[in-house]
Amino acid sequence: MAREVAFESAHTPEQVRGVVSDALSSGQQLIELEDDKGGTVLVPTDALAYVEIGAQDKGRVGFGR
């Protein structure tokens, strides 16, 4: 059964892209990523359908009444 894995990471989109690309091109069985709380996310490469990497959120500055 396929399901989506979503998490936040302190790594840049370029770093995540590099980890995923390296794992796929080298034939690794797992992609290992770290979430923003220090946990580890393991994804089997043979079960991977796609990877969507979001941009970093920029801090908002605003003034309101």
Side-chain angles (χ1 to χ4, degrees):
M1 180 172 161
R3 65 177 236 196
E4 181 178 289
V5 175
F7 64 96
E8 294 188 23
S9 175
H11 297 291
T12 66
E14 291 78 19
Q15 290 171 318
V16 173
R17 185 178 299 113
V19 169
V20 173
S21 295
D22 291 347
L24 293 173
S25 66
S26 68
Q28 293 178 16
Q29 293 184 357
L30 292 173
I31 296 173
E32 183 175 338
L33 297 163
E34 185 177 320
D35 68 16
D36 63 348
K37 296 179 175 124
T40 301
V41 178
L42 299 172
V43 180
T45 54
D46 64 347
L48 192 64
Y50 69 94
V51 176
E52 182 176 342
I53 302 170
Q56 291 178 317
D57 288 336
K58 303 251 182 203
R60 294 184 189 182
V61 178
F63 301 92
R65 293 182 182 216

